[in-house]
Amino acid sequence: IDLDTFLTIPAEDVKPYLKERNFQPANLESLSNILLEAGKRTALEDPVKARLYYSRVLDLYSLMDQVYGSISLDRYQKESWLQSQLKQ
């Protein structure tokens, strides 16, 4: 996937974008973890870009909830942390 494009497309286009690129649902968790870490590493030097990462991770969490039909405690905790970062 083209990361710059992926970070800037509207939330409603995330699922079709990934589907067009044959991205498997099993890899959503890995992608969200990578984007979360990238956001954390970017936060000090480019807070705007970090917010893009964080927002996209939340979009992926929502998609995972739809795909898997369940919510994990770990994901819930990360989601709470992300939301707190986006409010700052």
Side-chain angles (χ1 to χ4, degrees), residues 2-81:
D2 176 358
L3 189 56
D4 290 329
T5 300
F6 185 66
L7 291 175
T8 57
I9 60 173
E12 62 271 7
D13 293 339
V14 169
K15 187 175 181 179
Y17 181 86
L18 292 173
K19 189 173 184 175
E20 287 172 5
R21 284 148 186 83
N22 297 316
F23 199 85
Q24 300 300 310
N27 297 324
L28 291 175
E29 191 84 40
S30 296
L31 178 58
S32 66
N33 287 334
I34 290 167
L35 295 178
L36 178 59
E37 288 305 312
K40 287 179 181 178
R41 291 173 189 240
T42 306
L44 289 177
E45 68 181 48
D46 191 350
V48 173
K49 189 157 191 165
R51 292 176 70 80
L52 288 174
Y53 281 112
Y54 295 159
S55 293
R56 191 52 26 134
V57 172
L58 288 173
D59 294 336
L60 289 173
Y61 286 168
S62 176
L63 183 57
M64 282 187 273
D65 291 345
Q66 293 171 17
V67 169
Y68 299 132
S70 64
I71 300 171
S72 77
L73 180 59
D74 181 53
R75 212 165 49 235
Y76 177 77
Q77 290 171 335
K78 288 177 182 176
E79 185 176 345
S80 295
W81 182 85

